[in-house]
Amino acid sequence: MKRYLQLLCIGIVLVLTSCAKDAQDLEDPVLAEVGDSRITASQLVDFEQRLPDELKSKKTGLDAYRDYLQTIIDKEIFLQEAIKRGLDKTPEVAQKLRKEQEERVLRLLFKREFVDNIRVEEQELHDLYDTAEKETEIKLRLIIVETKVEAEEILQSLQAGKDFAELALGRSLHESTAPKGGEFDGYMTPNRIPVYLKKYIDVLAVGEYSEPIRLPNAQFGIYQIADARPVSFNTVRNELSAKLSEIKTAELVETFLRELRVKINLQANAETLQLLQGWIVAERREFTAAERGEILYEFSGGRVDVGDFWAYAEQLDMGFSGDVEESVRWFAEDVLLSRTLFLQAANAKGFDRDPQIVQGQQRRKDALLLLALRQTAVKDQIVVSDEAVERFYDARPELFTAPEEVTLQEIMVKTRDEAVVLKERIAAGEDMGALADEYTLRVQGKGEAGKFHIHAFEQPFYRELLDAVRTVRVGQVQGPVAVTAQAAQVADTDAMHQGGEYHSVFKVLESNFDRSPDPFDKAERRARALLKRAEESRLADQFLMGLRRDYQARIVLYEDRLETALPQ
């Protein structure tokens, strides 16, 4: 049932999008009816195609489509029950739908009226490049060495007149630039230079080199600026195009608003604006109905009042500080009024009736209704007592116990005889870490004195080792133990065994195998959440079964049409 509820949740997103077809059309037959709603073959196929693979039915053929059809029927039952309960009339749902529709309409307006009408010509880009202030881009050379002593030796050679390129070719460890005398490909703009290098690079002139710089990988580097030039056109072309598009869009928007204000005979009420500014300066936040109805702007077909101002300010969590009066004027005129005028223009052009807008609005309405129904019919009915939480904690201690984790020091070798010899050498006083770095075949721990950590999610890769670890004490050298390792875990490909069998000598450095559940006072919140989740699942199942019984008489299935209408 849990998997089934997942399908229902996906159904919130994968709403029925093929409603435009005539249900009587033989090419798209009706497969089921739920009251006045009809479910067609195209809707069912679309639902199945848009489902994530992990939520698709394990069944095949018609049996799978029957599962999907039942999911769609259940979704329709939920929607009809939500409307029956009046959830589509609640202020919360209505406000969310209105806000989201307005945003969709505004995006469509901006796309069609502005973005789609912007054209940037190549010559315009060149003209803008020619007149723009240009950054400098540089060509860098680099020498990387292992230690600071080596870096200082190279610095002394440079100061003595040695050629940077020759030193890079002979001594640099940087594989991609050393063969080219330390030179990076292409030129770098300032934003491409790593932050930790900028303070060293920015002070250099062409031909100058830096002091030794400690790099994040603990190596040391010396950088030289080989050349510098104004940033090239190709480097900044996309940036110039975006800037020019932004300028042109702003000009279109400004012209659009200016012409619109004249067309709709916009009138501003300066007295109401001053009144509002005074209220906000005085930190008033509560207003009477009459005060909220005070008109700020009036125009043909609409108005903006103090109530609109506060509603949108609260929606954006808007605060007013600094020059409060100017902030209020800016928000009222440049933000709220402009948005209102854009919406009126969009609706006048019919954008609110655009098929994509209508379809998106219906999808969102369905989603909100399903969520509201689950909240009222299921979540609001959950009651979890303190006693039930404690009983749940006592009954399921594994849920409140930290996963097993262990830190080991290990030497893994090909044969048991090798492992025995290594254990004897450790017992005789040789350093286990040094032996691990020399002999271990396991990638994990190689170069780290054989030390590595096994997290809970990694346990399947270390089964034999963990079985042995659970029975030993921390700090004692143990083994040899026969273990298996995958190819990716073996450092030396020549040493890989057929079947992946090896032998291990190990020591537990730290583990939590003796762990116990968290005390109840620490685990109570998690226990309550888990119990509420389980109760929600139970109530949801119960609610669904009840709705199926209640709506059974309203459901008509056309089983005979499934086989002929759907792809096999």
Side-chain angles (χ1 to χ4, degrees), residues 255-410:
T255 301
F256 184 91
L257 277 176
R258 184 172 58 251
E259 294 175 352
L260 182 60
R261 287 171 186 240
V262 173
K263 182 178 179 181
I264 63 175
N265 191 27
L266 176 68
Q267 302 294 322
N269 191 328
E271 291 181 4
T272 302
L273 180 59
Q274 290 175 358
L275 195 61
L276 178 61
Q277 289 169 326
W279 288 338
I280 296 177
V281 168
E283 298 185 354
R284 278 192 61 185
R285 294 295 184 270
E286 300 294 331
F287 302 93
T288 66
E291 289 171 335
R292 295 182 73 88
E294 292 282 350
I295 296 174
L296 286 165
Y297 305 97
E298 198 165 10
F299 49 87
S300 302
R303 54 182 268 181
V304 175
D305 56 31
V306 171
D308 297 323
F309 179 98
W310 275 115
Y312 196 50
E314 289 174 354
Q315 180 181 329
L316 299 183
D317 196 22
M318 183 69 189
F320 300 95
S321 59
D323 187 343
V324 175
E325 292 183 353
E326 173 57 22
S327 296
V328 172
R329 186 214 61 77
W330 167 81
F331 185 74
E333 184 171 335
D334 295 351
V335 179
L336 177 59
L337 177 60
S338 296
R339 184 178 188 274
T340 303
L341 297 183
F342 280 135
L343 279 171
Q344 174 163 313
N347 293 337
K349 291 175 179 290
F351 288 171
D352 57 329
R353 300 182 297 280
D354 182 89
Q356 288 187 341
I357 297 292
V358 174
Q359 191 178 75
Q361 191 73 351
Q362 186 59 54
R363 285 199 298 266
R364 187 57 181 151
K365 180 179 180 180
D366 289 352
L368 290 174
L369 287 178
L370 291 169
L371 292 172
L373 181 64
R374 187 175 181 90
Q375 183 67 46
T376 58
V378 177
K379 291 186 176 182
D380 290 349
Q381 310 306 316
I382 297 172
V383 178
V384 174
S385 67
D386 294 342
E387 294 76 12
V389 174
E390 196 159 0
R391 287 196 301 272
F392 180 71
Y393 168 82
D394 291 337
R396 300 293 304 275
E398 73 279 4
L399 296 177
F400 312 102
T401 304
E404 289 184 341
E405 295 189 25
V406 61
T407 301
L408 297 171
Q409 187 173 31
E410 182 208 33

Side-chain angles (χ1 to χ4, degrees), residues 137-141 164 200-210 223-228:
E137 58 183 4
I138 60 175
K139 179 172 280 293
L140 283 178
R141 289 195 182 110
F164 193 100
Y200 302 102
I201 303 299
D202 287 349
V203 298
L204 300 179
V206 174
E208 294 181 342
Y209 41 81
S210 71
Y223 291 79
Q224 183 189 47
I225 296 183
D227 189 24

